[in-house]
Amino acid sequence: MSIAEVLEERRVARGVSYAEIARRCSMNPDVVSRAFQGKGELKAGQFLNICRVLGLNSSNFEMCETGT
């Protein structure tokens, strides 16, 4: 599973829209949408803010593909 898939799975489970995540993280909604679709990159701080909003921590990503 990719990081984007983990984020998207949690977003859907929580019923949170991209726009709501963007609002709560002070981010552009297009940036959020692309990141969740695996088509864009996030800065570390953006990623951590999204994780905070979705209630995710490092253990949620232990089995993710690293891309290397």
Side-chain angles (χ1 to χ4, degrees):
M1 181 174 270
S2 72
I3 290 172
E5 289 170 329
V6 172
L7 292 174
E8 181 66 5
E9 185 176 273
R10 179 60 67 98
R11 182 192 72 79
V12 170
R14 294 270 173 115
V16 182
S17 69
Y18 296 133
E20 177 63 13
I21 292 169
R23 184 189 69 75
R24 292 175 62 185
C25 294
S26 300
M27 293 174 62
N28 182 308
D30 291 333
V31 171
V32 173
S33 176
R34 284 193 304 272
F36 276 69
Q37 296 169 20
K39 298 178 182 176
E41 294 184 6
L42 296 170
K43 295 177 182 173
Q46 293 172 322
F47 176 73
L48 293 173
N49 283 336
I50 290 171
C51 288
R52 179 186 49 78
V53 166
L54 296 176
L56 295 168
N57 61 51
S58 61
S59 66
N60 296 106
F61 299 97
E62 289 177 351
M63 300 303 290
C64 286
E65 302 166 2
T66 60
T68 56

